Amino acid sequence: MTETTTPAHAPLLTDRLRRWAGERAHQRAFTFVDFPEPHSPGLHRTLGWRGLDSRARAVAGQLVRTVRPGDRVALLVPQGLDYAVAFLGCLYAGVIAVPLFTPELPGHEGRLAAVLDDCEPSCVLSDEASRVSVESFTGGRLPVLAVDALPQAPPAAELPRPAPDDVAYLQYTSGSTRSPAGVMVTHANVVANARQAVTAFDVAPGRNTSVGWLPLFHDMGLVLSVAAPVHAGFPSVLLDPVAFLERPARWLRLLGSYPGTISAAPNFAYDYCVSRVDADEAAGLRLDRVAALLNGSEPVRPGTLERFLGAFGGAGLTAEALCPAYGLAEATVFVTADPRDRPATTVECDADALGAGRVEERPGAAARLVDCGRPVGQEVRIAAPETGAVLDEGRVGEIQVRGPNVGAGYWKQPEHGAGTFRDGWLRTGDLGALRDGRLLVTGRLKDLIVVDGRNHYPQDVEETVQSALDVVRRDRLAAFLVPCGDGAEGEELVVVAETRRGAAPDGTAVREAPATARGAIATRHGLRLAELLLVPAGTVPRTSSGKVARAACRERFLSGALHAEAL
């Protein structure tokens, strides 16, 4: 648990919303761009600040008649204006929002059921179009309120006012390394993190617009596309993640349609744009208006930044607009970011020293780390995972964070939370080092591959494999250790990789892939690859936020489930 106490009079996010509703009633607040047809230019639906406030208060008015303050309310709403309305309505009502998704999201029904079971909601918010599927999924056990079919909003004075340290929402982690757990984010936490993000990128109304396709149930999507715009009063433009995946140029076009656009995406999305947007489409883009594109994957890949700038620099995208960042749900989301006054910095490191836990610069070295900038409005330190001792700059250890944005613990898991939220410092489980006060992220502690006392990072092994094999889908593979076969002691390295769609199972590239991968891994990392398992596209488990779930992949490998699907 965090030890700070926020003054009872501290402003809430709904205070900011009410302010903009009064001062900028008819100015554009939130816009959702729908693409009903493959080649549609996009249908824009917009709410002004007064309309957004009125609809949020309508949701709150219905909630206070349906549930009690502090009850959980699950948001099973499609991406769009209604999602923002539902979330802000929960904040107004003093209930605990649980940002989730509709049952139609493919492949995540089990996670949705598990989260609903854990948070025990008293009510579900959805929309009229999704009501039937939501009622079917919940078995009719919970009242389902459609946020797009509610009566007139009550005056704000009639609504309860939560305390800043009350829990505002539960941000369920993506489950890439463990079962999903709900981070308790307070009203003060989300205001602090919104303020930190706004400060980091010097955002202001009239100068900037948020453009985002990240799911609003995702921590970065919720803060950058809802909380930060409401806090600072600048407009937000939303599109559905499916619309991005269908045609990533839609996102890029919207980035060029508004002044000073701010956006964020995981590492794979930038490579996806490079692979799916051809030269003719790129030539028609206007990206000189982009202020900042956050890449907050753990860690950010230097090659991704270079490929994206190479593909879209001709459209006016500047190197300074690419902003590596670091964050996690337990800190609401935002922790550090590289400033926009210079291009992203890559540190070339001695690989042997890095494997031994030291960052030693060596120009021309193959091991490269991206500078993720300084913390804003919070503190970051590096500590030895085993002892908790604070380490000097240049030493690799666990990243720890302290600040007003650090959550209040895990919902119904005080034992788990006590190990993560301790003595005011958040133990992130991520590995990194500080260099001149700036954060270098090296990987995830639980994913670390340790062989003969030397550390290897799975993302480095995965990069080696996907660079050596054209048949492998980029960022659709997982490297991990498993117990040695035939009863031998120790562990051995396995890589599970998806093949590109249309790859022939009996083709030459597939047959030669294991030998090629073994040679590349041995040369680059000095490791022996025990098995390369090639599987069809869509097989490697991913979290709801799009990251490869290495732990889940390892479990499926050990159970034999992946071998049954192998090429």
Side-chain angles (χ1 to χ4, degrees):
M1 304 287 288
T2 55
E3 297 180 347
T4 57
T5 300
T6 308
H9 56 79
L12 307 176
L13 204 60
T14 47
D15 294 334
R16 307 290 287 188
L17 175 58
R18 193 156 53 246
R19 173 185 171 182
W20 308 134
E23 294 181 5
R24 303 169 185 167
H26 303 296
Q27 292 183 24
R28 179 169 54 89
F30 281 55
T31 299
F32 178 66
V33 184
D34 190 22
F35 296 89
E37 303 293 337
H39 298 287
S40 169
L43 300 177
H44 292 60
R45 298 181 176 89
T46 297
L47 277 175
W49 288 108
R50 180 178 293 174
L52 178 63
D53 180 65
S54 177
R55 288 199 56 197
R57 285 188 289 108
V59 171
Q62 189 65 35
L63 285 175
V64 298
R65 293 189 290 270
T66 307
V67 298
R68 298 168 298 180
D71 280 357
R72 276 75 58 211
V73 174
L75 276 59
L76 275 63
V77 188
Q79 183 96 342
L81 299 177
D82 290 338
Y83 207 110
V85 165
F87 176 73
L88 294 168
C90 288
L91 300 191
Y92 257 133
V95 299
I96 299 176
V98 186
L100 291 168
F101 41 86
T102 62
E104 289 86 358
L105 184 66
H108 295 284
E109 300 88 346
R111 179 174 183 269
L112 179 59
V115 171
L116 290 174
D117 185 61
D118 184 70
C119 73
E120 300 177 297
S122 298
C123 175
V124 175
L125 294 180
S126 190
D127 65 357
E128 285 289 1
S130 303
R131 182 197 287 271
V132 172
S133 66
V134 169
E135 290 177 337
S136 176
F137 189 84
T138 59
R141 298 184 301 273
L142 298 169
V144 178
L145 305 180
V147 298
D148 55 348
L150 293 178
Q152 187 173 356
E158 297 180 5
L159 297 173
R161 180 178 177 82
D165 287 333
D166 287 347
V167 178
Y169 61 99
L170 302 181
Q171 181 65 64
Y172 275 83
T173 60
S174 58
S176 60
T177 58
R178 61 173 184 268
S179 299
V183 178
M184 296 186 288
V185 179
T186 69
H187 289 268
N189 291 154
V190 67
V191 169
N193 208 228
R195 182 174 60 249
Q196 290 160 347
V198 167
T199 301
F201 299 104
D202 191 26
V203 177
R207 190 170 66 211
N208 298 101
T209 301
S210 172
V211 174
W213 58 266
L214 287 177
L216 295 182
F217 59 81
H218 183 265
D219 48 12
M220 180 60 83
L222 189 62
V223 170
L224 196 62
S225 291
V226 178
V230 169
H231 175 76
F234 64 93
S236 177
V237 177
L238 306 168
L239 67 157
D240 194 287
V242 174
F244 165 77
L245 292 172
E246 287 176 345
R247 297 194 67 182
R250 291 167 171 167
W251 176 50
L252 300 177
R253 281 199 298 270
L254 287 173
L255 288 174
S257 300
Y258 301 90
T261 46
I262 308 285
S263 193
N267 199 86
F268 83 85
Y270 294 100
D271 278 324
Y272 187 69
C273 287
V274 173
S275 65
R276 293 292 301 272
V277 178
D278 61 31
D280 289 340
E281 272 189 309
L285 298 173
R286 178 188 174 185
L287 299 179
D288 57 308
R289 307 175 84 184
V290 175
L293 293 178
L294 279 70
N295 183 336
S297 296
E298 302 135 357
V300 179
R301 297 185 190 272
T304 297
L305 301 177
E306 294 161 359
R307 286 187 291 271
F308 192 79
L309 184 61
F312 303 110
L317 180 71
T318 65
E320 291 79 5
L322 300 182
C323 299
Y326 170 74
L328 69 165
E330 287 82 353
T332 307
V333 63
F334 176 79
V335 176
T336 72
D338 200 42
R340 293 185 290 129
D341 57 1
R342 64 173 193 175
T345 302
T346 297
V347 181
E348 297 172 335
C349 308
D350 182 272
D352 291 335
L354 190 61
R358 304 186 310 276
V359 174
E360 296 181 0
E361 292 187 56
R362 184 162 68 85
R368 298 193 296 165
L369 300 176
V370 174
D371 183 335
C372 290
R374 300 180 188 274
V376 178
Q378 54 198 298
E379 301 171 76
V380 170
R381 71 182 186 185
I382 306 298
E386 304 83 3
T387 66
V390 179
L391 301 176
D392 294 334
E393 286 211 346
R395 294 291 304 279
V396 176
E398 184 181 32
I399 302 168
Q400 298 185 353
V401 180
R402 180 168 67 181
N405 53 304
V406 172
Y410 294 113
W411 178 254
K412 296 197 306 187
Q413 297 186 38
E415 301 84 3
H416 180 39
T420 303
F421 303 84
R422 190 193 317 163
D423 303 327
W425 286 93
L426 167 65
R427 286 147 175 80
T428 67
D430 292 320
L431 293 172
L434 290 173
R435 172 179 173 271
D436 298 329
R438 305 170 67 83
L439 184 63
L440 305 173
V441 181
T442 60
R444 184 80 183 156
L445 181 60
K446 292 183 179 180
D447 289 338
L448 195 63
I449 296 170
V450 183
V451 178
D452 296 330
R454 188 164 178 260
N455 297 336
H456 303 268
Y457 296 96
Q459 68 273 4
D460 293 338
V461 176
E462 293 156 7
E463 177 65 27
T464 296
V465 172
Q466 65 188 14
S467 297
L469 301 176
D470 290 337
V471 74
V472 167
R473 296 183 75 199
R474 179 164 286 278
D475 294 331
R476 298 295 195 276
L477 65 169
F480 47 83
L481 295 176
V482 299
C484 291
D486 302 324
E489 293 185 359
E491 294 180 304
E492 57 189 11
L493 177 64
V494 167
V495 175
V496 177
E498 293 183 8
T499 55
R500 296 186 182 275
R501 298 184 188 278
D506 57 350
T508 301
V510 170
R511 289 196 305 271
E512 295 178 351
T516 302
R518 285 191 180 94
I521 289 174
T523 300
R524 176 75 182 273
H525 307 282
L527 293 172
R528 176 186 174 275
L529 176 64
E531 183 174 358
L532 172 69
L533 187 67
L534 296 177
V535 295
T539 303
V540 172
R542 301 179 71 79
T543 70
S544 57
S545 58
K547 299 176 184 176
V548 170
R550 295 189 184 95
C553 190
R554 181 178 185 273
E555 290 176 7
R556 293 197 66 199
F557 178 88
L558 291 173
S559 71
L562 289 178
H563 287 87
E565 302 181 51
L567 297 181

